[in-house]
Amino acid sequence: MKNRLKVLRAERDWTQADLAEKLEVSRQTINAIEKGKYDPSLPLAFKVARLFEMPIEAIFEDETEVAIN
Amino acid sequence: MKIIEAICAKGLPKRDLKNANRVNLCALLWALTLMISTYLSENELLGNGLLITLVFCIHTIIGIAMLVAYRHFLVQLDEMERKVQLDALALSVGVAIISFSSYSILENSAIVPPLKAAYLIVLITLTYIVGIIKGRISYR
């Protein structure tokens, strides 16, 4: 699953460790999500959306849906 | 370098490391009580029924404490690391079942000696460790 996490984080001058602390996960998890190696759970995705004050769809992109369209 | 980082679980929050250490301590005590009871049994020092009951109870209680500590560790764990742990558990159970099943065919045909439970435990443990290292490397 593609996402804009890295861009949004950089816009706020946050490090991966900063974001990890805010989301209460490990830095490795943030790194894996940004690289698209790990898809976050729905509760974590909602937490990310709340933190950036954006809808989930504006942060995470379902690649299957993109392929269908 | 990646393998060492994976083995050391580098980057996990302090809470998770504390919970993992609690599980490791329980596992160590559990293995220790098993070794002591085996030693006492082999040297015929467990003749007393009360002593057998005591050794049995201590080993079982530590085993249950280990399970409870592991469950607590999993519940509080960072979600990606939890996935790594569950994948490793699934792999170790799958490998154990398939190995046991295949070995039993050879055992029934008297090609190999009867399977010792200790070998199965070692196989499960090793597969679990390999699964965790593989999982941690693949997400880095």
Side-chain angles (χ1 to χ4, degrees), chain B residues 70-85:
Chain B
Y70 187 68
R71 188 186 173 279
H72 181 72
F73 166 69
L74 275 184
V75 167
Q76 292 204 334
L77 197 58
D78 168 73
E79 68 171 55
M80 191 179 78
E81 180 66 18
R82 188 187 302 135
K83 184 173 173 8
V84 169
Q85 291 278 339

Side-chain angles (χ1 to χ4, degrees), chain A residues 17 27 58 62 66 69:
Chain A
R27 193 195 60 75
D62 185 356
V66 172
N69 292 334

Side-chain angles (χ1 to χ4, degrees), chain B residues 1 5 72 78 132:
Chain B
M1 193 66 186
E5 282 184 4
H72 181 72
D78 168 73
I132 284 180

